[in-house]
């Protein structure tokens, strides 16, 4: 038996190789390989980073991976993309410049990694350092005239800046900035801390803790100054048929001053304007008015206020009673009988227009064009000959019309003159 195997081993090997080839061909045809790039980039995972080292440059966050795998494996990857991982292992590395290939792990078999982009990551590690710094306060703008600021309160007074040594060493100061912008009340806000270098430029790549600082700045009014509301006084009435829709004043509050604070404090808190003349006004009014000032009082800033008054026509309605109906379109061989020869009409529009209406301003018709003998229920049509006046309703809104053959002894209805 052994001698037979020795004499025929080549034949045996060929048979085995052929069987393996047939098996591989069978498996491949049932589950063919596909070479594809993953639909979504793979996030890069960093492992092994020392707690006292940080990256001093920006690393790519993800990579494109191309694989060759059977269809069944691709189905697993599509169902769970986390099967494929991209790992940057920095274990045991010290500070300095480094270049490492990404490790691609696929928790499925069989898989061939065709390409990775980028394949290699260049980076630098630096010592992680921190330093505590006082916070500077930058104040821009001024409070409103007649106001003053008190002592500022910051909480906390210091922050901790941390990051790569080269970046933290660039930091020369930390700052918060406020803009008073002519405020009249206390300033109380939490502001983001700015991290700046010697030239006043923002230093990136560092963290600051806490990120915000609570700033309180008291603002109070100086003696002799006072803010008072402005009240617009009016004279006369708008034209008949019109109404005053609104009155606005800018600024609504003014600052006044007196060398005697008691005079200022004794005021009721309101200053009146000189009268705004509304007599017979039919249009909006825009003007500037002076204020009526008590003796010893002066205004800080602009000496007049801007006043706008809205004037609009009044909308109303009116009823025209017993308006005669006009028949049009009646065939010459027909006679017409109407259940009602008159209607009431309710019209709406601007009151000045309604006051101009007469009976000649409205025409009510019933159109019988094309109608033959019979009884009909028809709605009259209203034509208003004054623009912007609308017919809201007709009473009654339906008229019974009876059309009969014309009797030679019956006079033919004529149109309304």
């Amino acid at each position: 038996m052994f001698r037979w195997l020795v004499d025929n081993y080549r034949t045996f090997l060929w048979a085995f190789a052929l069987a393996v080839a047939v098996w591989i061909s069978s498996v491949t045809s049932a589950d063919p390989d596909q070479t594809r790039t993953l639909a979504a980039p793979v996030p890069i995972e960093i492992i092994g980073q020392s707690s006292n080292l940080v990256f001093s440059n920006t690393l790519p966050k993800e990579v494109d991976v191309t694989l060759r795998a059977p269809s069944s494996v691709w189905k697993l990857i599509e169902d769970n993309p986390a099967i494929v991982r991209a790992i940057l292992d920095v274990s045991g590395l010290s500070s300095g410049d480094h270049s490492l290939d990404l490790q691609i792990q696929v928790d499925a078999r069989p898989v061939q990694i065709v390409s990775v982009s980028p394949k290699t990551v260049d980076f630098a590690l630096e010592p992680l350092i921190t330093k505590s710094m006082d916070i500077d306060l930058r104040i821009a703008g001024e409070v409103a005239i007649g106001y003053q600021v008190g002592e500022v309160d910051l909480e906390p007074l210091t922050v901790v800046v941390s990051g790569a040594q080269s970046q933290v060493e660039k930091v020369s100061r930390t700052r918060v900035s406020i803009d008073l912008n002519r405020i009249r009340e206390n300033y109380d806000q939490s502001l983001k801390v700015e991290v700046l270098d010697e030239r006043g430029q923002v230093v990136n790549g560092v963290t600051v803790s806490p990120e915000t600082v609570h700033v309180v700045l008291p603002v109070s009014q100086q003696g002799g100054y006072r803010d008072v509301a402005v009240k617009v006084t009016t004279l006369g009435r708008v034209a008949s048929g019109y109404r005053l829709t609104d009155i606005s004043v800018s600024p609504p509050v003014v600052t006044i001053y007196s060398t005697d604070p008691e005079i200022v404090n004794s005021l009721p808190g309101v200053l009146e304007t000189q009268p705004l003349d509304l007599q017979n006004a039919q249009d909006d009014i825009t003007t500037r008015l002076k204020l009526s000032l008590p003796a010893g009082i002066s205004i800080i800033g602009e000496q007049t206020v801007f006043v706008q008054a809205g004037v609009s026509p009044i909308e109303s309605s009116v009823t025209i009673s017993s308006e005669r109906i006009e028949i049009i379109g009646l065939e010459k061989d027909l006679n017409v009988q109407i259940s009602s020869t008159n209607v009431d009409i309710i019209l709406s529009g601007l009151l000045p227009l309604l006051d101009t209406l007469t009976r000649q301003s409205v025409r009510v018709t019933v159109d019988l064009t094309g109608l033959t003998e019979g009884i009909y229920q028809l709605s009259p049509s209203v034509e208003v000959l004054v623009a912007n006046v609308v017919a809201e309703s007709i009473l009654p809104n339906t008229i019974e019309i009876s059309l009969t053959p014309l009797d030679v002894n019956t006079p033919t209805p004529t149109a309304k003159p």
Side-chain angles (χ1 to χ4, degrees), residues 28-43:
T28 302
S29 62
D31 193 9
D33 284 353
Q34 297 180 7
T35 300
R36 292 158 51 186
T37 300
L38 296 179
V42 180

Side-chain angles (χ1 to χ4, degrees), residues 237-243 278-282 311:
R237 301 179 62 181
V238 297
S240 176
Y242 291 79
R243 65 188 179 94
L278 300 176
Q279 189 64 33
N280 294 324
Q282 298 182 10
V311 179

Side-chain angles (χ1 to χ4, degrees), residues 56-110:
S56 59
N57 60 321
T58 303
L59 302 181
K61 297 185 180 297
E62 52 192 20
V63 293
D64 293 319
V65 178
T66 301
L67 304 175
R68 179 180 176 83
S71 299
S72 57
V73 174
W74 277 111
K75 182 65 169 60
L76 294 175
I77 295 174
E78 291 169 354
D79 292 341
N80 183 16
I83 287 176
V84 183
R85 302 172 61 196
I87 298 174
L88 181 65
D89 188 356
V90 298
S91 301
L93 297 183
S94 59
S95 61
D97 295 330
H98 303 277
S99 182
L100 290 179
D101 288 344
L102 290 170
Q103 302 174 19
I104 306 300
Q105 296 183 359
V106 184
D107 295 335
R109 293 290 183 274

